[in-house]
């Protein structure tokens, strides 16, 4: 079977045409276990505009201050026409940073500035003159009312169109992983200099093969997962010394993962860990268990109309396990292409509902 997968990968690598399901294909919904979102953010951009793209979730064990609001964490969401939103775990807007053409966003801990641990956000940046990765930081221990996410610096790159982005941790090292629109893979070791500014060093470059975007890391299994949109889901080692070596976990296939294969995220549920993908072509979300050797496919879910409208044509998604504000065991935040009230937005789904629907 691995030989067959390799053959599929070779054929798929020849495909360079992007299948764009934004808007026109967003009404196509495949089969899957049904769940419902419990809340949503305000619309992003204008009605009919392709603006909302990708979220990231960060939770705190105690309330933190964002623009005068005490919150147990936040969701960052990109408006790829204008900048970065910071939402509360109740969906309301806490902050907007008019930073330009940001596409994918992620969040990580593990870096300090002036001896103070920071929450660091990174976003792929396609703004002319700023192409690369935009970096932001948030001080979770600061208590002043004006504490907020603030611009920190940037990673410049040779990638013509930055597209996908994710952070990864491997021991004490924080990595920033950038995926280019044409399938470029760049991995940077991220640090802080004596003046408190970010510094980045490229430690890996590889070619995925064709248009790619979603990426997610799992430190415990030393894995970096990347979606090649019209080919399938790849697993790389997090160790940059592994270079371009990879394994095809799931080729594009009806009923499992349908092109475009878009966002990726991981979630920890006790001693279990899962990988969730966005199958944009049929608005479904396949799930793999990744803590027990080779990834094990566990089924798919769909988000149907409920308290808020359902989810279609998803681009990015993000998850966090454990207590996340009003979500006692975790939350999955998903971009929604066609929203019933105005432009695109982000929907929040309780992880317990997904776990129950799939029998995990």
């Amino acid at each position: 079977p691995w030989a067959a997968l390799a053959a599929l990968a070779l054929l798929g690598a020849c495909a360079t045409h992007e299948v764009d399901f934004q808007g026109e294909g967003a009404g196509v919904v495949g089969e899957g276990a049904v769940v419902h979102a419990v809340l949503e953010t305000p619309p992003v951009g204008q009605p009919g505009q392709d603006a909302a793209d990708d979220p990231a979730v960060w939770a705190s064990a105690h309330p933190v201050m964002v623009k005068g609001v005490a919150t147990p964490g936040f969701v960052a969401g990109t408006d790829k026409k204008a900048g970065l939103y910071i939402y509360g775990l109740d969906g309301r807007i806490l902050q907007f940073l008019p930073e330009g053409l940001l596409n994918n966003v992620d969040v990580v801990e593990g870096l300090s500035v002036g001896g103070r641990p920071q929450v660091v956000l990174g976003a792929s940046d396609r703004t002319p003159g700023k192409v690369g990765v935009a970096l932001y930081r948030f001080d979770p221990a600061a208590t002043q009312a004006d504490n907020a996410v603030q611009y920190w610096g940037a990673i410049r790159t040779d990638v013509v169109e930055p597209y996908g982005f994710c952070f990864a941790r491997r021991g004490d090292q924080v990595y920033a992983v950038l995926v280019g629109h044409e399938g470029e893979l760049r991995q940077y070791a991220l640090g802080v200099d004596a003046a408190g500014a970010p510094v980045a060093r490229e430690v890996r470059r590889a070619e995925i093969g064709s248009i790619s975007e979603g990426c997610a890391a799992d430190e415990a299994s030393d894995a970096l997962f990347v979606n090649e949109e019209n080919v399938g889901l790849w697993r790389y080692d997090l160790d940059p010394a592994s270079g371009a070596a990879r394994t095809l976990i799931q080729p594009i296939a009806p009923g499992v993962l349908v092109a475009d294969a878009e966002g990726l995220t991981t979630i920890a549920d006790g001693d279990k860990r899962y990988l969730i993908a966005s199958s944009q072509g049929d608005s479904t979300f396949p799930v793999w268990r990744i803590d027990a050797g080779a990834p094990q496919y566990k089924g798919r879910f769909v988000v149907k109309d409920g308290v808020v409208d359902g989810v279609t044509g998803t681009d990015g998604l993000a998850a966090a396990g454990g207590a996340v504000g009003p979500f006692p065991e975790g939350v999955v935040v998903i971009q929604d292409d066609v929203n019933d009230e105005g432009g695109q937005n982000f929907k929040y789904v309780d992880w317990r509902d997904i776990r129950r629907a799939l029998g995990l």
Side-chain angles (χ1 to χ4, degrees):
W2 290 112
L5 291 181
L8 280 169
L10 182 60
L11 289 171
C14 299
T16 57
H17 175 66
E18 177 178 7
V19 181
D20 189 358
F21 286 96
Q22 281 296 100
E24 61 177 304
V28 178
V29 180
E31 296 297 320
V34 174
V35 299
H36 305 283
V38 296
L39 59 90
E40 61 184 339
T41 68
V44 173
Q46 301 301 314
Q49 186 182 56
D50 180 18
D53 193 86
D54 184 60
V57 186
W58 176 76
S60 173
H62 54 81
V64 297
M65 189 68 70
V66 181
K67 287 287 188 178
V69 177
T71 174
F74 57 75
V75 171
T78 55
D79 176 346
K80 60 186 174 184
K81 308 291 187 185
L84 183 67
Y85 282 95
I86 305 299
Y87 303 99
L89 295 175
D90 57 1
R92 63 174 167 163
I93 298 170
L94 300 177
Q95 184 181 0
F96 176 68
L97 294 89
E99 294 291 310
L101 310 182
L102 304 184
N103 204 57
N104 277 203
V105 63
D106 202 6
V107 63
V108 71
E109 296 179 350
L111 295 172
S112 296
V113 173
R116 296 174 68 90
Q118 302 290 301
V119 176
V120 175
L121 294 87
S124 51
D125 191 350
R126 300 184 291 185
T127 307
K130 296 171 58 181
V131 171
V133 178
L135 297 170
Y136 306 85
R137 65 183 179 91
F138 173 77
D139 187 341
T143 57
Q144 62 267 32
D146 63 350
N147 189 45
V149 174
Q150 58 182 294
Y151 181 75
W152 190 30
I155 302 172
R156 296 293 176 238
T157 178
D158 66 326
V159 172
V160 174
E161 185 176 359
Y163 215 46
F165 177 78
C166 59
F167 281 119
R169 289 182 60 173
R170 193 168 188 262
D172 293 332
Q173 180 62 62
V174 174
Y175 291 112
V177 180
L178 179 65
V179 176
H181 183 276
E182 300 308 313
E184 307 97 330
L185 177 64
R186 304 288 185 267
Q187 185 170 344
Y188 303 90
L190 189 61
V192 183
D193 68 15
V199 291
R201 175 174 54 89
E202 184 182 300
V203 292
R204 169 164 47 181
R205 60 171 46 208
E207 299 302 319
I208 300 166
S210 64
I211 182 171
S212 306
E213 184 171 5
C215 69
D218 180 51
E219 180 183 6
S221 59
D222 207 33
L224 172 66
F225 298 98
V226 177
N227 264 336
E228 189 174 2
E229 293 191 3
N230 302 317
V231 176
L233 169 64
W234 294 100
R235 183 200 183 279
Y236 292 78
D237 284 350
L238 263 183
D239 182 355
S242 64
R246 60 185 182 175
T247 301
L248 187 64
I249 299 301
Q250 173 63 54
I252 294 296
V256 183
L257 184 64
V258 176
D260 293 356
E262 291 280 351
L264 286 171
T265 190
T266 59
I267 185 169
D269 185 7
D271 59 354
K272 300 176 182 177
R273 299 189 312 283
Y274 298 93
L275 175 71
I276 310 171
S278 166
S279 175
Q280 190 183 69
D282 63 353
S283 302
T284 63
F285 304 93
V287 177
W288 292 264
R289 186 171 171 183
I290 56 173
D291 62 277
Q296 303 169 2
Y297 178 63
K298 293 296 183 180
R300 312 192 303 172
F301 66 91
V302 296
V303 184
K304 294 293 187 72
D305 292 351
V307 178
V308 297
D309 65 300
V311 171
T312 50
T314 292
D315 212 314
L317 76 168
V324 184
F327 303 94
E329 296 180 43
V331 65
V332 180
V333 180
I334 305 172
Q335 185 261 12
D336 183 20
D337 180 69
V338 179
N339 184 30
D340 64 350
E341 295 183 5
Q344 301 171 335
N345 70 348
F346 300 97
K347 302 291 201 290
Y348 296 30
V349 182
D350 194 313
W351 170 248
R352 294 174 299 176
D353 294 337
I354 297 170
R355 186 175 60 201
R356 186 180 307 112
L358 290 176
L360 300 177

